[in-house]
Amino acid sequence: MPSTSWASTLRLPKSTFPPRFFLGTSEKLDKYNRRCTDDLYAWQRRAGRRPAFILHDGPPYANGDLHIGHALNKILKDITCRYQVLKGRRVDFRPGWDCHGLPIELKALQSRESTRDHEKPLKPLEVRELAKKLAEDTIKKQKVDFREWAIMADWDNAWTTMDQEYELRQLEVFKAMVEKGHIHRRWKPVYWSPSTRTALAEAELEYRVDHTSVAAFVKFELNALYENTFLALEDNHWPVSAVIWTTTPWTILANRAIAVHHQLEYVVVSSASHGSLLVARTRLVELEKACGENLSGNVLASCMGKDLVGQKYRHPLLDESVIERRILDADFVSGDSGTGLVHVAPGHGMDDYKRCWEEGIEPFAPVDDHGRFTEAAMPKNPQLLQGQEVLGAGNNSVLDLLKTEQSLISSHSYKHKYPYDWRSNMPVITRATRQWFADLSEIREDALEALNHVEFLPTGGRDRLSSFVRGRSEWCISRQRAWGVPIPVLISQTTGENIMTSRSLSHIISIMKLRGTNAWWTDDEGDSVWIPPSLKDKGPFIRGKETMDVWFDSGTSWKELDVEEQGQPGARADVYLEGSDQHRGWFQSSLLTNIASQVKSEELLSAPFKTLITHGFTLDQSGRKMSKSEGNVVSPYDLYNGKLLPPTKRKKGDKYSNSPEGFGPDALRLWVASCDFSHDVQVGETVARAINGNMAKLRVTFKLLIGLLDSHEPQRSIPFMQLGTIDRMALVRLRSLLSAVHEAYSVFEYHRATAAIFSYINNDLSAFYIESIKDRLYASAKDSLSRVNTQLVLWEIFRNLSHILFPITPLLVEETLDHLPEQLLGFHPVKSMHGPEAAEQSRCVTGAWEDSLLQLDMPYLTALNAAVKATQELARNAKQMGSSLQCFVAIGLPSGNAGDAFSAAIQRRARDLDDLFVVSHVDIYSTSATASDSDPNLPATLKSAAWSYSASCRPLVGQQQQQAQEKEGEKTQSSQEPLVHVYTPAADKCIRCWKYTIPLESKLEEKMCDRCLGVIEGLGDEGLWEGKPGMREAAKSCRDRTADDKLREHWESKT
């Protein structure tokens, strides 16, 4: 008798979709990328009139390669935009780049260090041309990398802050602020970077907590005290010196006052080494440490701070005939630090400047752009300090001079928080210079009110941004560099007056429209075209050479929204999404420039953004900040090309042996989507393993789904309630997934959406549904009703899963579409389901996917399934069974619980339990009162079983479930729990489907069940029965041709 390969008659899934990703197939990857980015963006822009969604891009800096932080930011934006497309909205997303500023200028200058004339000073235009070339080259490279990550955007219309049209719009904003009186020039202390020789804004600083300064206790000798201040002080205790403590001894030369607090008590103490010293009583212990003496027992006199106000004193190093110095009252003085007396240098401190301004005391800062002392530091002996760096040798020289004058009590190293230039990573100083400032005092309250109407995610962002705005009164907007947007001021060569009016600005902007901003530097200084007619006879004038702060550049990018909305003024972005550091940067500058340019009316002024989202920073897998010196920098490419993964041994002859371990750009995107970006996020080998495992799971899942849909016809449909129990359970769970994912997407919690998707794939799809339907898909007839209905459900799963994964892994989804069966090739998870109406029309299972009775039963069925699986494991551990089909199951329902919800659910679903549990047979019986192994009600097959294992089952039912059951008239609590028995199958194994359903007394040549006999008979291949007459005769009586004919007629009538 010839043997037959019955496996060839099974309909096993076949798919051309590869289980691994090939980085080497760049042509295919480019095709998928183009389809899901450029083509899709263009399609959704022209797909009818729909509400717009604007995500305004916070521009990355055009001065280097992209890093993992760029990936986090841009992919979050892309996921946001793609979800809005799924919802049917028209997305506007134009990428931008920040191109001006010192980092680009310095990097451009470094590029010429290898040339012969690198030491030759460059003209401003040459600097600008070098910087522009660097920015353009960087943008080209960054754009390629961004697009490789499948970022869907209007790349052909990207904007940069160096575009002429952008610069002109920025100047119009500046002009509006001038017209409203917000812009002025003032001699005032600002953060100054000696390393880069320019003023800095707060947002351009990094604070380091490990900076070490040389701090000092210094004496200032008081003049004769006011009468009655210290009546008890005897003549031999004069003179008295006020003691200050400072971490910047070099600023002593710019001292203009000493500050006290009127409510503090001050004492004069006698020091054997330093004479009579004035200090706050609360700081006496600190002074004792500085002097190395016990001073507490040597108190000579005391007074309140208010009694010292107005007292004059002498500078220890300078001639007192020029400047008169006195003691002031100031709220910033504390009795908890220093000496309770504060050295005040209005040219080197913000608080000092404000307090002295109130007293009419001018700031003084004898320090040049390089951070070196000028000759003004010591006018009578300039050679002592001139040219010395204040943060180095100059500071030490001041201490030496103080020591020589016996004014230095002591000095010591002091570690504390200190500002650094974020570009050069060098310390900054506070230095008074003439700068342009934006006065925020009239803008601030309107800006804070506007924030009350903005949604913040995380919600703590509101307080953070508000605190920055509330604490800011001015903004230094001028920079002493060539690469940037010029501040369009005309300076009188006769008087030095700065001319900046609405008329002069309008005229200068009109010339820049014709000649470009470069002409501001290249045109001859005497070119009168820049002078407005009203000033022609008041010259000569020169053009100012300062540029605007880069935060002002990017902060006016909201003007691009008007461009995106085709000239509609006042357009607002739906979302701004950047790192949390932008609360003190771009978010703030965008808000302030926008509010400052709006015209006040009865309506409230609004922020340029409706929703403001911030994400954390990227850290290595140990939670440390990434740095090249630490060697822990993770590149975005390391995450998707497999570099982070340990080497994997491949089997010899593996056709994928030349493919990398990584899963391409979608792996990078999946990492981003999996992160809770409201906190700092980590990346490393552990994360890469998890991401690659999930990517592999997605590919295997899609490969299986595509293979199972081989014969699905897209025109078929069926009402939901006509499906079987397991199919309806699958769709109810799918509906639950879709609800959870869309809810998570809508509140920008993409990690919750991702977690829900993989929980569904692993548990509801793979472990439950696919396992339950394999038999009917593989072994049933091609057109059997159960198989066709299952394919309808699988198609709903495929199209919806690809739909909700499209924002996260668009390249993977696009790839799956090329491998669909020919009859399904027209489907697209976005275009075919675009908006609620299209999504509804594309469904093949119609009606609401709701079944209240089934949903009451599902917790019980789930609990019962878990109990069966657990009991099967007992048998497997004892090596009694392998496949779950190698057993029968019996369920004992307590006889006294006829109205019990659990029992009712099991009885209602009895015909589906063998498929649900993936077993060969299920019996249900009523247990007796004893419910033991000797129970007379046990099925006969169980009583005679060679082996059996039992367990009880109790589901967890929530309050809502209980209420629903009571409404159905069912009891929610069992007095006894159902019993689950797993035991030896009392039948032979079908050689084709492997189910144990063949009667033991069967005489067929080969053991085959009636279902399989009928399916093979329906194939019409008589050769399969050769030498098996008994099976041929049995098959003829088994095939249910009538059912197949009815099904065929049903679908033909549909089409």
Side-chain angles (χ1 to χ4, degrees):
M1 182 173 61
S3 64
T4 303
S5 175
W6 301 112
S8 64
T9 68
L10 296 173
R11 300 197 61 84
L12 299 176
K14 294 180 181 179
S15 169
T16 59
F17 185 75
R20 290 188 188 159
F21 173 79
F22 291 93
L23 272 172
T25 55
S26 58
E27 289 185 9
K28 286 187 176 181
L29 188 60
D30 289 344
K31 177 181 71 172
Y32 301 141
N33 194 313
R34 184 178 62 256
R35 283 192 340 210
C36 72
T37 55
D38 295 351
D39 294 353
L40 182 65
Y41 189 86
W43 173 84
Q44 62 92 28
R45 292 286 293 168
R46 63 174 181 266
R49 295 180 62 85
R50 289 163 289 105
F53 175 85
I54 305 173
L55 194 154
H56 186 48
D57 195 22
Y61 211 54
N63 74 327
D65 293 336
L66 298 181
H67 52 70
I68 196 73
H70 287 110
L72 176 66
N73 177 262
K74 219 68 162 190
I75 292 172
L76 284 174
K77 292 174 181 176
D78 187 65
I79 294 172
T80 301
C81 289
R82 288 179 183 275
Y83 176 62
Q84 295 300 324
V85 172
L86 293 190
K87 289 175 64 178
R89 297 186 69 178
R90 174 175 54 83
V91 166
D92 292 317
F93 181 45
R94 292 176 59 220
W97 272 272
D98 199 353
C99 301
H100 291 134
L102 191 60
I104 293 175
E105 183 176 332
L106 292 179
K107 193 168 185 178
L109 293 175
Q110 289 170 2
S111 67
R112 62 187 291 269
E113 288 182 354
S114 59
T115 62
R116 289 183 182 178
D117 57 350
H118 70 275
E119 294 184 357
K120 178 184 176 183
L122 294 180
K123 296 178 180 179
L125 180 61
E126 293 174 315
V127 173
R128 290 174 64 84
E129 287 176 343
L130 275 175
K132 183 179 181 181
K133 176 69 165 53
L134 173 67
E136 288 174 339
D137 291 345
T138 302
I139 289 171
K140 286 179 182 177
K141 187 174 186 308
Q142 287 188 359
K143 187 181 288 188
V144 169
D145 292 342
F146 278 138
R147 299 185 80 158
E148 185 176 311
W149 300 344
I151 307 299
M152 180 189 71
D154 191 356
W155 293 106
D156 293 335
N157 292 301
W159 55 271
T160 76
T161 58
M162 64 181 178
D163 295 338
Q164 179 170 328
E165 291 302 315
Y166 185 100
E167 293 179 331
L168 292 172
R169 284 191 287 271
Q170 177 181 332
L171 287 168
E172 290 291 348
V173 174
F174 182 79
K175 173 173 168 282
M177 293 178 69
V178 170
E179 290 170 343
K180 293 180 180 181
H182 297 317
I183 306 297
H184 56 83
R185 191 165 179 80
R186 184 181 293 176
W187 177 263
K188 183 181 176 182
V190 295
Y191 291 112
W192 185 270
S193 174
S195 58
T196 54
R197 299 184 300 285
T198 187
L200 300 177
E202 176 71 32
E204 296 170 294
L205 303 177
E206 287 183 350
Y207 286 88
R208 297 191 181 176
V209 297
D210 58 350
H211 179 84
T212 301
S213 298
V214 179
F217 288 86
V218 181
K219 299 192 304 181
F220 287 79
E221 186 178 314
L222 301 179
N223 292 353
L225 284 166
Y226 286 156
E227 186 178 357
N228 298 327
T229 302
F230 292 125
L231 292 176
L233 200 61
E234 298 180 5
D235 291 343
N236 62 336
H237 291 130
W238 291 96
V240 175
S241 297
V243 182
I244 64 92
W245 177 80
T246 179
T247 59
T248 55
W250 60 269
T251 63
I252 293 290
L253 295 166
N255 175 271
R256 285 295 183 267
I258 291 177
V260 297
H261 195 287
H262 64 281
Q263 292 182 339
L264 286 180
E265 182 184 9
Y266 292 84
V267 295
V268 177
V269 295
S270 176
S271 165
S273 303
H274 304 287
S276 298
L277 305 176
L278 177 67
V279 66
R281 184 180 289 275
T282 57
R283 306 305 298 163
L284 186 53
V285 173
E286 293 301 317
L287 184 59
E288 287 180 327
K289 294 177 183 177
C291 296
E293 301 177 43
N294 183 358
L295 304 176
S296 300
N298 298 328
V299 175
L300 304 176
S302 66
C303 72
M304 299 302 293
K306 61 184 178 61
D307 299 321
L308 294 170
V309 174
Q311 172 65 45
K312 298 176 183 177
Y313 64 93
R314 289 188 290 275
H315 196 286
L317 301 178
L318 300 176
D319 183 1
E320 294 309 304
S321 62
V322 180
I323 299 293
E324 186 180 76
R325 295 170 173 83
R326 65 183 188 273
I327 294 177
L328 308 176
D329 179 27
D331 290 337
F332 57 73
V333 178
S334 167
D336 299 325
S337 63
T339 64
L341 296 102
V342 176
H343 141 63
V344 176
H348 295 296
M350 307 295 186
D351 291 333
D352 300 16
Y353 170 81
K354 292 176 184 176
R355 184 65 187 91
C356 288
W357 181 266
E358 296 168 356
E359 299 290 332
I361 300 173
E362 291 290 328
F364 173 60
V367 180
D368 66 14
D369 292 355
H370 296 269
R372 301 167 183 161
F373 280 122
T374 67
E375 62 180 10
M378 298 283 284
K380 292 190 175 181
N381 296 291
Q383 71 281 358
L384 293 176
L385 293 174
Q386 187 176 2
Q388 295 185 29
E389 293 183 355
V390 299
L391 293 179
N395 196 56
N396 294 332
S397 294
V398 170
L399 289 170
D400 290 341
L401 290 170
L402 289 170
K403 188 174 183 179
T404 301
E405 295 296 325
Q406 296 185 351
S407 295
L408 180 65
I409 294 176
S410 69
S411 62
H412 59 281
S413 294
Y414 180 69
K415 187 178 288 188
H416 62 123
K417 185 178 178 182
Y418 194 85
Y420 276 63
D421 183 337
W422 71 291
R423 300 179 179 98
S424 65
N425 293 317
M426 297 295 287
V428 304
I429 61 175
T430 304
R431 172 188 175 227
T433 60
R434 292 206 177 275
Q435 301 289 342
W436 289 99
F437 293 89
D439 185 352
L440 307 179
S441 58
E442 295 183 9
I443 304 171
R444 192 166 46 199
E445 292 306 317
D446 289 331
L448 290 170
E449 176 59 30
L451 292 182
N452 290 331
H453 304 279
V454 173
E455 181 181 0
F456 283 81
L457 296 171
T459 55
R462 182 188 308 279
D463 291 339
R464 181 172 166 81
L465 181 54
S466 296
S467 68
F468 282 123
V469 173
R470 192 176 292 109
R472 195 172 186 184
S473 59
E474 288 186 316
W475 173 9
C476 179
I477 61 170
S478 51
R479 296 294 181 270
Q480 290 65 48
R481 308 302 298 185
W483 178 230
V485 177
I487 294 179
V489 59
L490 299 173
I491 304 169
S492 171
Q493 288 185 284
T494 305
T495 65
E497 180 186 3
N498 289 271
I499 306 297
M500 187 185 287
T501 64
S502 176
R503 186 174 295 179
S504 71
L505 289 173
S506 295
H507 178 78
I508 291 170
I509 292 172
S510 69
I511 301 302
M512 287 183 178
K513 286 181 180 178
L514 299 174
R515 299 188 177 188
T517 52
N518 269 351
W520 184 258
W521 278 272
T522 58
D523 284 2
D524 185 79
E525 198 65 71
D527 194 336
S528 62
V529 72
W530 295 97
I531 313 303
S534 60
L535 296 176
K536 292 288 187 183
D537 57 348
K538 297 180 182 179
F541 295 95
I542 59 173
R543 299 185 294 277
K545 301 306 179 189
E546 293 173 307
T547 55
M548 293 188 195
D549 175 18
V550 291
W551 291 111
F552 196 95
D553 290 9
S554 60
T556 56
S557 65
W558 48 265
K559 289 290 287 183
E560 293 299 307
L561 300 177
D562 297 345
V563 176
E564 291 166 11
E565 289 302 288
Q566 302 176 348
Q568 297 181 24
R572 299 173 65 201
D574 290 275
V575 168
Y576 273 33
L577 193 162
E578 301 299 330
S580 56
D581 57 332
Q582 295 307 316
H583 287 119
R584 61 198 292 260
W586 185 59
F587 293 155
Q588 191 178 164
S589 63
S590 297
L591 173 69
L592 295 173
T593 56
N594 185 270
I595 294 295
S597 66
Q598 292 183 49
V599 178
K600 278 197 172 185
S601 63
E602 293 183 0
E603 295 183 7
L604 289 172
L605 301 185
S606 58
F609 36 76
K610 299 174 186 176
T611 300
L612 194 149
I613 306 172
T614 52
H615 61 76
F617 296 103
T618 52
L619 308 173
D620 71 6
Q621 62 184 3
S622 299
R624 298 176 302 167
K625 182 179 179 181
M626 295 184 193
S627 69
K628 291 181 180 178
S629 61
E630 292 288 336
N632 64 343
V633 174
V634 176
S635 164
Y637 313 101
D638 294 345
L639 196 57
Y640 70 70
N641 64 16
K643 186 176 178 181
L644 287 178
L645 299 172
T648 301
K649 292 183 179 180
R650 296 280 177 80
K651 292 180 180 179
K652 191 174 181 180
D654 185 349
K655 67 177 181 179
Y656 301 108
S657 59
N658 294 324
S659 66
E661 289 296 334
F663 280 85
D666 275 340
L668 180 67
R669 296 178 62 92
L670 182 57
W671 165 71
V672 172
S674 302
C675 296
D676 180 359
F677 64 79
S678 62
H679 303 89
D680 291 343
V681 298
Q682 297 182 4
V683 61
E685 181 183 324
T686 303
V687 172
R689 284 173 183 261
I691 293 301
N692 272 33
N694 283 336
M695 285 299 301
K697 182 65 177 179
L698 286 179
R699 296 191 73 88
V700 169
T701 300
F702 274 120
K703 181 177 180 64
L704 180 61
L705 288 173
I706 292 170
L708 295 175
L709 289 166
D710 59 341
S711 58
H712 173 65
E713 296 296 338
Q715 71 273 16
R716 291 173 172 172
S717 65
I718 189 171
F720 172 74
M721 291 306 294
Q722 291 185 19
L723 292 171
T725 294
I726 295 175
D727 292 332
R728 278 181 286 141
M729 285 178 67
L731 289 181
V732 167
R733 291 182 176 182
L734 178 61
R735 187 196 67 187
S736 178
L737 168 71
L738 297 178
S739 176
V741 168
H742 284 291
E743 190 274 330
Y745 273 143
S746 67
V747 293
F748 309 98
E749 294 184 1
Y750 306 136
H751 65 290
R752 284 205 298 118
T754 305
I757 290 171
F758 281 100
S759 175
Y760 170 81
I761 290 174
N762 290 321
N763 300 314
D764 297 336
L765 182 58
S766 297
F768 161 63
Y769 190 58
I770 295 297
E771 285 300 309
S772 299
I773 62 174
K774 279 181 178 178
D775 176 70
R776 71 178 86 158
L777 287 170
Y778 297 176
S780 294
K782 175 183 176 181
D783 292 329
S784 69
L785 184 60
S786 62
R787 190 175 191 279
V788 169
N789 287 352
T790 298
Q791 286 186 318
L792 290 170
V793 175
L794 289 172
W795 178 241
E796 289 289 4
I797 291 172
F798 176 87
R799 72 183 193 92
N800 281 287
L801 201 55
S802 60
H803 183 72
I804 59 177
L805 276 169
F806 197 79
I808 300 172
T809 57
L811 295 167
L812 170 65
V813 173
E814 284 288 350
E815 186 182 359
T816 65
L817 304 182
D818 276 3
H819 295 272
L820 284 172
E822 184 177 356
Q823 70 276 14
L824 301 176
L825 285 177
F827 170 75
H828 192 278
V830 178
K831 299 175 184 179
S832 302
M833 302 172 68
H834 195 243
E837 188 174 327
E840 182 64 28
Q841 291 175 351
S842 67
R843 291 174 59 183
C844 60
V845 178
T846 59
W849 295 352
E850 296 177 357
D851 182 342
S852 58
L853 192 56
L854 177 60
Q855 286 180 271
L856 291 178
D857 293 348
M858 282 175 62
Y860 298 110
L861 297 176
T862 301
L864 192 61
N865 190 26
V868 170
K869 296 290 188 284
T871 311
Q872 286 176 330
E873 283 305 306
L874 297 176
R876 286 195 182 94
N877 293 337
K879 302 190 182 304
Q880 299 288 5
M881 61 173 284
S883 164
S884 61
L885 292 174
Q886 290 180 294
C887 71
F888 278 12
V889 170
I891 301 170
L893 301 179
S895 57
N897 297 337
D900 174 65
F902 201 162
S903 299
I906 294 172
Q907 290 169 334
R908 274 193 293 266
R909 313 299 169 183
R911 59 179 294 180
D912 301 292
L913 295 181
D914 55 345
D915 283 343
L916 180 65
F917 303 151
V918 195
V919 296
S920 292
H921 178 71
V922 176
D923 267 324
I924 298 175
Y925 72 97
S926 295
T927 63
S928 65
T930 57
S932 64
D933 290 342
S934 59
D935 190 332
N937 295 338
L938 287 176
T941 52
L942 175 54
K943 290 179 181 179
S944 60
W947 56 263
S948 67
Y949 295 87
S950 304
S952 60
C953 175
R954 182 175 180 82
L956 295 175
V957 179
Q959 183 178 1
Q960 189 174 359
Q961 177 86 358
Q962 292 181 16
Q963 292 172 350
Q965 289 163 357
E966 289 166 0
K967 188 176 180 181
E968 294 289 332
E970 296 174 342
K971 293 187 291 186
T972 60
Q973 188 68 32
S974 301
S975 57
Q976 286 181 278
E977 297 170 359
L979 291 175
V980 171
H981 306 272
V982 172
Y983 59 100
T984 316
D988 282 335
K989 176 181 176 182
C990 173
I991 197 171
R992 180 172 180 269
C993 70
W994 294 7
K995 272 192 169 185
Y996 286 75
T997 55
I998 311 296
L1000 296 174
E1001 62 275 12
S1002 173
K1003 303 299 183 183
L1004 293 177
E1005 292 89 347
E1006 296 183 38
K1007 304 291 186 180
M1008 186 175 291
C1009 67
D1010 289 354
R1011 188 268 309 267
C1012 288
L1013 287 169
V1015 170
I1016 293 175
E1017 174 66 13
L1019 296 176
D1021 186 354
E1022 287 295 321
L1024 293 171
W1025 304 128
E1026 186 178 351
K1028 306 179 184 70
M1031 295 182 71
R1032 176 187 287 115
E1033 290 303 316
K1036 287 181 180 179
S1037 64
C1038 290
R1039 186 180 182 216
D1040 187 356
R1041 297 179 182 276
T1042 306
D1044 285 340
D1045 291 341
K1046 286 182 178 179
L1047 181 64
R1048 193 172 292 105
E1049 291 171 6
H1050 169 76
W1051 295 127
E1052 288 174 355
S1053 67
K1054 286 283 187 181
T1055 57

